[in-house]
Amino acid sequence: MKFFIDTAEIAEIRELAETGLVDGITTNPSLIKQSGRDFIEVVTEICALIPGPVSAEVIATDTAGMLTEGRRLAGIASNITVKLPITWDGLKACRALTDEGIATNLTLCFSANQALLAAKAGASFVSPFIGRLDDLQVDGMELIHNIRTIYDNYGFETEILAASIRSAAHVEACALAGADVATIPPKVLKSLSQHMLTDKGLASFLADWDATGQKI
Ligand code: G3P
């Protein structure tokens, strides 16, 4: 499973990229607002830092506007993925951009039927939002399983990019469900390495090593 980072914070991206664990980045208008930065400027910097796909979202809600913005965003760098909402207009824009060879990520996916439409429109990625379904007491992971089954039934190549991930448990469940990508907030990614027994075991090894009086 590929790891994308769900952030527009350059410092966080730079730090995490050093681990070699970062396969791509996703941004959205809320993350851009949080960064306090100029959208085009920050996305340009991210593309220069990370060679993998970098999702940048359109703001227009009509197909023509999405195409204008999508083409402009795609012109920033060759690793831009144009993020479009899964609406009728978004699906039409997806087909047109796909036919032009531009990568697309259909976002705000909350049903398997929406994901089916995204695949048929030629999307490179579809982004089902797990956490926001969980917030409504609906099992977000069931959506990932259902999309996986549908895509495998018909050999669709659209990648399932699990989004709205809120916990380490979500990441593990996505990997078990066969999501192609999980886009993970930096804090959650860092939490994946944590285990109480790792900390305890390390403390005990270090104490025993100290007692030997040796040096490496
Ligand atoms: O990639 C979309 C994601 O950022 C949404 O996450 O936590 O706002 O539901 P959240």
Side-chain angles (χ1 to χ4, degrees):
M1 184 170 72
K2 284 176 259 187
F3 282 174
F4 287 5
I5 309 299
D6 203 24
T7 186
E9 301 295 337
I10 293 287
E12 285 180 328
I13 294 170
R14 191 171 284 125
E15 189 210 333
L16 290 169
E18 283 171 13
T19 64
L21 292 170
V22 182
D23 300 304
I25 302 291
T26 52
T27 66
N28 63 38
S30 305
L31 293 171
I32 297 297
K33 180 185 169 208
Q34 233 169 280
S35 77
R37 300 274 318 272
D38 174 80
F39 176 37
I40 302 294
E41 206 177 275
V42 79
V43 165
T44 305
E45 282 177 33
I46 296 172
C47 285
L49 263 178
I50 301 291
V54 175
S55 285
E57 190 160 340
V58 300
I59 299 306
T61 54
D62 63 299
T63 304
M66 288 177 184
L67 288 175
T68 304
E69 292 179 3
R71 288 173 187 135
R72 178 165 180 227
L73 292 173
I76 292 175
S78 58
N79 55 333
I80 281 282
T81 295
V82 176
K83 208 170 180 189
L84 304 157
I86 297 197
T87 57
W88 210 247
D89 282 80
L91 289 163
K92 286 194 279 182
C94 176
R95 170 48 63 197
L97 293 174
T98 299
D99 289 347
E100 291 174 26
I102 294 172
T104 53
N105 173 3
L106 286 202
T107 190
L108 291 165
C109 173
F110 293 97
S111 79
N113 276 333
Q114 288 179 317
L116 178 56
L117 290 171
K120 289 186 73 69
S124 317
F125 300 97
V126 66
S127 291
F129 276 35
I130 303 171
R132 292 191 193 185
L133 284 170
D134 286 356
D135 289 345
L136 301 177
Q137 318 301 324
V138 176
D139 182 5
M141 282 315 304
E142 196 186 336
L143 177 58
I144 304 291
H145 281 283
N146 291 345
I147 299 172
R148 182 75 280 154
T149 301
I150 291 170
Y151 281 11
D152 289 348
N153 282 349
Y154 298 99
F156 286 124
E157 284 175 9
T158 298
E159 292 191 52
I160 302 172
L161 195 171
S164 187
I165 283 179
R166 308 270 176 78
S167 65
H170 272 156
V171 177
E172 184 174 330
C174 283
L176 286 167
D180 299 288
V181 189
T183 188
I184 310 172
K187 217 176 15 179
V188 175
L189 180 64
K190 285 186 176 173
S191 79
L192 299 185
S193 73
Q194 288 162 10
H195 198 287
M196 199 185 68
L197 292 178
T198 304
D199 296 342
K200 200 176 155 197
L202 182 59
S204 131
F205 283 156
L206 292 178
D208 286 345
W209 179 256
D210 271 353
T212 71
Q214 298 181 47
K215 282 198 168 30
I216 297 178

